């Protein structure tokens, strides 16, 4: 049901729903109450109470007070947060009192039961995951999953939407660290536009995009921004790109002194720096010239790393024209073209991460070179085929080099693919269409909420290890819980207590015209195939404050790659269940104890008030 204008209709503690324009149905507004687990925790750690009751009315624990030392003990024992000091606990108490007691805030120094309950429900004070960067950021870039966008300049679909700097800005503000720009000559051939080639997308000037990146690159994270360029330019325009990048980015632009890197630098060494990744000009010219290596095997690579709509037919025609053109060229013509490239080395010098697409077999391309690192791009279909036949080669390649996966060319509506297969094989750059929405994008958002949302997430150790005989992790191998979780938790339990906030963010008839909503929660584990699971709470009828109080168990084989996906739905007997919010959280980042879990809308924007109270238990 579509969202209506918010007009609250309640009177004397009840909601009024009009039926058939003549009858009123009244539903009592029940104030949200602490659950038994919350009461028990308050009773255990508070002081001054006359006892511990179990009911909502006249509970004798209500008159207890939780001071800074008691709150510190609760956070240490129940929330497993031993780093909190008494002074920090007092700051938390002061903040809760400031929010809830404007008049008496100067006379209060501890939390009563309601204050404690509200503290647990504040997601900024009691978040479900660690809110700051906590992983080692000094390893090479290849050791991290990197938040990566695909065709970052598109506002909508892949065929006819506008190109703009606005999606680039939004992606950077969300924490995306890899921005992709497709570069094409303008109509006069004198300047550079950004657009999706061979489509009806309207262009945006490159200079506009570069200035937007400069101004917003580090608005959400100080760690490096990588610009991947899909280059369709002449040597003269490449030189112009180099000039633009140098002038606009200035000292922010990083490029190595040597032509190629033996090892990628670390995120920590590139704070507030911008780096460029694309094919070097020599490779670009080879890809436009079917003579030489490519003529030997009869294979012509496109100038772009990716396929664009309709490229198969175009490429066939291009190959014929290129063969004819190159066969007709004199030796002096070819020498002149090579010389013009040599005269403009600036563009090549700015490329930090050399990129390419497989020219022969993927297995050959994945051979690790000792003294050189690079980036390889595969489509989602190529990844599937490669992983099914050479999965360990992919893992071995990604231990030192970067692997970028992009959506197949038929995803015209800017949909996305399942990212777990790439992550399981160590692929660092899973390129997603950030302007769309859907469950796959929710998983991407969830993965990169890890490590403080900085856009870089350290890959699990097992993806980086090599055995005595150079063996690496085998994603196809069947794993057992007790084998992979010896060093961590063997079983995860998730308890869904209650939800709140819908009445503040939605009109009272948004979900149901004639009654309050009937909410239920679905809980998923998304990870390696052995860990995938789905659970669902019961439906709570006619209640804006649903209390489920249900617990679910999830045995995990690879918790390092598992995501906890949560979705709230409103049951509709006659139509599709309405969407009530969602979130996705990395299991490895979950903080034990009772936590407030904020929910997001379909596009991944955080809802103002909607949140769940949950408990995460590790054994």
């Amino acid at each position: 049901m579509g969202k209506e204008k918010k007009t609250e209709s309640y009177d004397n503690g009840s909601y009024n729903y009009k039926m058939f324009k003549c009858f009123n149905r009244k539903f009592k507004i029940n104030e949200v109450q602490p659950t038994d687990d919350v009461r028990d925790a308050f009773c255990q750690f508070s002081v001054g109470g006359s006892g511990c009751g179990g009911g909502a009315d006249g509970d004798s624990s209500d008159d207890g007070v939780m001071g800074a030392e008691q709150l510190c003990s609760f956070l240490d024992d129940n929330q497993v947060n031993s780093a909190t000091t008494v002074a920090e606990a007092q700051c938390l108490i002061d903040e809760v009192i400031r929010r809830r007691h404007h008049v008496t805030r100067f006379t209060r120094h501890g939390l009563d039961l309601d204050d404690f309950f509200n503290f647990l429900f504040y997601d900024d004070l009691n978040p479900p995951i660690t809110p700051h960067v906590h992983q080692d950021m000094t390893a090479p870039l290849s050791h991290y999953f990197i938040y990566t966008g695909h065709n970052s300049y598109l506002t909508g679909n892949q065929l006819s939407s506008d190109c703009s700097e606005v999606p680039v800005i939004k992606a950077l503000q969300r924490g995306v660290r890899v921005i992709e720009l497709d570069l094409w000559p303008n109509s006069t051939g004198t300047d550079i536009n950004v657009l999706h080639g061979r489509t009806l997308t309207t262009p945006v000037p490159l200079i506009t995009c570069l200035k937007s990146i400069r101004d917003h690159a580090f608005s959400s994270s100080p760690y490096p921004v990588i610009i991947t360029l899909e280059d369709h330019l002449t040597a003269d325009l490449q030189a112009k790109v180099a000039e633009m990048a140098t002038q606009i980015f200035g000292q922010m632009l990083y490029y190595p002194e040597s032509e190629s890197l033996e090892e990628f630098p670390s995120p920590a060494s590139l704070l507030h720096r911008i780096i460029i990744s694309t094919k070097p000009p020599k490779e670009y010219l080879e890809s436009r010239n079917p003579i030489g290596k490519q003529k030997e095997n009869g294979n012509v690579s496109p100038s772009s790393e990716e396929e664009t709509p309709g490229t198969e037919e175009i490429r066939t025609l291009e190959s014929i024209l290129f063969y004819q053109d190159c066969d007709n060229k004199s030796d002096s013509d070819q020498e002149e073209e090579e010389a013009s490239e040599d005269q403009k080395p600036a563009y090549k010098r700015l490329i930090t991460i050399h990129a390419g697409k497989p020219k022969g077999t993927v297995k050959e391309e994945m051979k690790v070179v000792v003294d050189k690192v690079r980036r390889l791009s595969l489509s989602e279909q190529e990844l599937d085929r490669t992983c099914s036949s050479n999965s360990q080669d992919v893992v071995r390649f990604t231990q030192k080099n970067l692997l970028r996966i992009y959506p197949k060319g038929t995803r015209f509506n800017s949909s996305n693919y399942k990212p777990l297969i790439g992550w399981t094989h160590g692929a660092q750059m899973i390129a997603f269409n950030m302007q769309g929405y859907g469950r796959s994008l929710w998983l991407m958002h969830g993965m990169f909420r890890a490590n403080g949302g900085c856009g870089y997430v350290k890959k699990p150790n097992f993806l980086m290890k090599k055995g005595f005989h150079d063996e690496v992790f085998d994603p196809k191998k069947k794993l057992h819980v007790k084998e992979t979780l010896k060093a961590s938790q063997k079983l995860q339990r998730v308890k869904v207590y209650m939800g709140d906030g819908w009445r503040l963010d939605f009109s009272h008839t948004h979900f149901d015209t004639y009654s309050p909503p009937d909410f239920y929660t679905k809980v998923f584990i998304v990870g390696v195939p052995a860990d995938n699971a789905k659970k669902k709470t019961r439906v709570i009828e006619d209640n804006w404050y649903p209390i489920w109080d249900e617990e679910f168990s999830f045995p995990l084989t690879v918790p390092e790659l598992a995501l906890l996906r949560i979705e709230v739905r409103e049951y509709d007997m006659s139509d599709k269940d309405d969407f009530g919010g969602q979130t996705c959280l990395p299991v490895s980042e979950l903080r034990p104890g009772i936590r407030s879990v904020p929910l997001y809308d379909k596009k991944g924007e955080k809802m103002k008030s909607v949140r769940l109270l949950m408990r995460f238990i590790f054994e």
Side-chain angles (χ1 to χ4, degrees), residues 31-45:
E31 287 297 324
V32 62
Q33 295 287 334
T35 64
D36 289 343
D37 283 359
V38 173
R39 290 178 180 276
D40 290 345
F42 184 78
C43 175
Q44 179 182 353
F45 291 97

Side-chain angles (χ1 to χ4, degrees), residues 137 141 177 213-226 248-255 266-275 454 456:
M137 302 301 286
L141 291 173
R177 297 291 86 190
I213 293 172
R214 175 197 64 193
D215 296 341
H216 300 274
F218 308 108
S219 58
S220 64
S221 169
Y223 292 98
V225 167
I226 302 170
I248 292 171
F249 296 137
Q251 294 299 314
M252 297 169 72
L253 186 63
Y254 170 86
Y255 49 91
S266 70
S269 69
L270 295 171
L271 288 175
H272 297 101
R273 302 301 291 271
I274 293 172
I275 58 181
C454 73
Y456 288 84

Side-chain angles (χ1 to χ4, degrees), residues 216-260:
H216 300 274
F218 308 108
S219 58
S220 64
S221 169
Y223 292 98
V225 167
I226 302 170
I227 304 175
T228 61
L229 300 178
E230 292 288 333
D231 179 351
H232 306 265
L233 304 175
T234 63
D236 288 339
L237 290 180
Q238 287 176 344
K240 190 166 186 175
V241 172
E243 184 181 359
M244 277 188 196
T246 303
Q247 289 180 355
I248 292 171
F249 296 137
Q251 294 299 314
M252 297 169 72
L253 186 63
Y254 170 86
Y255 49 91
E257 294 181 4
S258 59
E259 186 173 313
S260 62

Side-chain angles (χ1 to χ4, degrees), residues 150-286:
H150 173 257
N151 290 351
S152 305
Y153 49 86
L154 287 179
T155 58
N157 68 64
Q158 301 287 308
L159 295 178
S160 60
S161 64
D162 292 335
C163 301
S164 170
E165 76 281 8
V166 174
V168 174
I169 294 171
K170 287 183 177 179
L172 291 169
Q173 290 173 338
R174 190 183 283 277
V176 173
R177 297 291 86 190
V178 182
I179 298 296
E180 181 188 23
L181 302 177
D182 286 67
L183 309 186
W184 294 81
N186 68 355
S187 57
T188 62
T190 58
D191 208 346
I192 305 108
N193 281 335
V194 174
L195 73 154
H196 196 197
R198 305 186 182 105
T199 68
L200 300 178
T201 55
T202 57
V204 60
L206 172 63
I207 192 168
T208 303
C209 293
L210 295 184
K211 287 181 178 179
S212 297
I213 293 172
R214 175 197 64 193
D215 296 341
H216 300 274
F218 308 108
S219 58
S220 64
S221 169
Y223 292 98
V225 167
I226 302 170
I227 304 175
T228 61
L229 300 178
E230 292 288 333
D231 179 351
H232 306 265
L233 304 175
T234 63
D236 288 339
L237 290 180
Q238 287 176 344
K240 190 166 186 175
V241 172
E243 184 181 359
M244 277 188 196
T246 303
Q247 289 180 355
I248 292 171
F249 296 137
Q251 294 299 314
M252 297 169 72
L253 186 63
Y254 170 86
Y255 49 91
E257 294 181 4
S258 59
E259 186 173 313
S260 62
L261 296 171
E262 294 185 9
E263 184 179 68
F264 289 118
S266 70
S269 69
L270 295 171
L271 288 175
H272 297 101
R273 302 301 291 271
I274 293 172
I275 58 181
I276 291 175
S277 176
T278 187
K279 284 183 178 181
K282 183 180 178 182
E283 281 193 42
Y284 170 80
L285 289 176
E286 286 178 355

Side-chain angles (χ1 to χ4, degrees), residues 23 47 139 265 270 378 401 405 479 492 526 547:
F23 302 104
V47 294
L270 295 171
L378 298 177
N401 300 280
I405 312 301
L479 303 171
Q492 180 197 6
V526 183
I547 300 176

Side-chain angles (χ1 to χ4, degrees), residues 339-461:
S340 68
E341 170 58 27
D342 291 336
Q343 288 166 7
K344 295 185 174 66
Y347 183 75
K348 184 175 182 179
R349 190 177 70 247
L350 296 184
I351 301 171
T352 298
I353 301 175
H354 288 207
K357 188 177 179 180
K359 297 175 185 175
T361 65
V362 176
K363 185 176 177 65
E364 286 295 317
E365 285 292 327
M366 290 236 171
K367 287 184 177 178
V368 178
V369 181
V370 177
D371 59 347
K372 184 179 180 181
V373 290
R374 65 194 191 281
R375 170 172 70 81
L376 187 66
S377 287
L378 298 177
S379 69
E380 57 177 290
Q381 306 106 306
E382 288 174 320
L383 177 71
D384 286 340
R385 289 193 295 267
T386 305
C387 290
S388 63
S389 57
N390 302 293
S391 59
Q392 287 183 286
D393 289 336
V394 179
V395 174
R396 187 174 289 106
F397 178 83
T398 58
Q399 289 182 339
K400 185 177 180 182
N401 300 280
L402 296 177
L403 180 60
R404 174 179 171 271
I405 312 301
Y406 58 89
K408 59 186 178 183
T410 54
R411 293 189 180 274
F412 303 132
N413 61 348
S414 295
S415 61
N416 289 296
Y417 50 99
K418 295 179 180 178
L420 263 299
I421 183 172
W423 289 331
T424 304
H425 289 77
Q428 297 89 349
M429 297 180 175
I430 308 296
F432 260 37
N433 295 307
M434 298 295 171
Q435 73 274 29
Y437 57 89
R439 291 180 176 86
S440 292
L441 189 55
W442 297 349
L443 298 179
M444 180 65 68
H445 292 164
M447 169 62 86
F448 287 99
R449 289 191 178 106
N451 201 25
C454 73
Y456 288 84
V457 176
K458 195 84 156 46
K459 294 202 289 187
N461 289 333

Side-chain angles (χ1 to χ4, degrees), residues 5-10 15 502-508:
K5 185 179 178 181
K6 184 178 175 184
T7 54
E8 297 293 354
S9 177
Y10 57 89
Y15 276 102
W502 290 281
R503 67 183 180 86
L504 300 175
D505 289 357
F506 298 93
S507 73
H508 76 290

